[in-house]
Amino acid sequence: MSFEAEVIPLFIGGVLVVSSFELIVGCVLLKNKKSACKKFVLHVITMLIGFTFLIRSIFANWLNVKFAIASISNSTNIGLFGIFWCVSVMLIVSCIQECLKKQIDEIV
């Protein structure tokens, strides 16, 4: 794909900055809930792994990544992004459930 030269480092840098901010704020807010904090950290890690596959697929030419068959590699990268994104979402939902466990138990 064609992009302006500034887009690629801004996208990669933006993902890293937002993820770092998310990690710091999340850990501060969850400091008293160790188990939820661990799940939150795993959420950020799996999300970043997923973004790595997405970035590799979208910006392969700029990153000088050479594929034997680009269409297969891109399809695999998009699939792996989806899997890691799904795991990331399940972890954050589990983290939210754990934080709300007391309120959920009171309702039931």
Side-chain angles (χ1 to χ4, degrees):
M1 277 189 225
S2 297
F3 294 97
E4 294 293 326
E6 301 82 21
V7 169
I8 299 158
L10 283 173
F11 183 82
I12 295 169
V15 166
L16 293 174
V17 167
V18 170
S19 296
S20 298
F21 180 74
E22 177 185 15
L23 184 62
I24 292 167
V25 171
C27 286
V28 168
L29 293 174
L30 295 170
K31 66 183 173 193
N32 295 329
K33 298 182 181 280
K34 297 295 183 195
S35 180
C37 188
K38 288 178 187 176
K39 289 178 183 178
F40 186 80
V41 169
L42 287 173
H43 150 72
V44 174
I45 291 169
T46 55
M47 185 181 61
L48 284 172
I49 293 169
F51 267 112
T52 302
F53 288 112
L54 183 64
I55 288 167
R56 184 179 159 114
S57 181
I58 295 173
F59 303 128
N61 293 339
W62 186 80
L63 297 170
N64 293 321
V65 177
K66 304 295 181 206
F67 299 123
I69 302 173
S71 63
I72 293 173
S73 296
N74 286 335
S75 298
T76 303
N77 283 327
I78 295 297
L80 288 169
F81 162 73
I83 290 168
F84 279 96
W85 185 34
C86 179
V87 170
S88 173
V89 169
M90 288 189 295
L91 284 164
I92 196 68
V93 168
S94 175
C95 181
I96 292 168
Q97 181 213 7
E98 192 164 322
C99 290
L100 298 175
K101 190 173 184 178
K102 185 177 179 182
Q103 289 90 340
I104 292 170
D105 290 341
E106 289 175 0
I107 292 171
V108 176

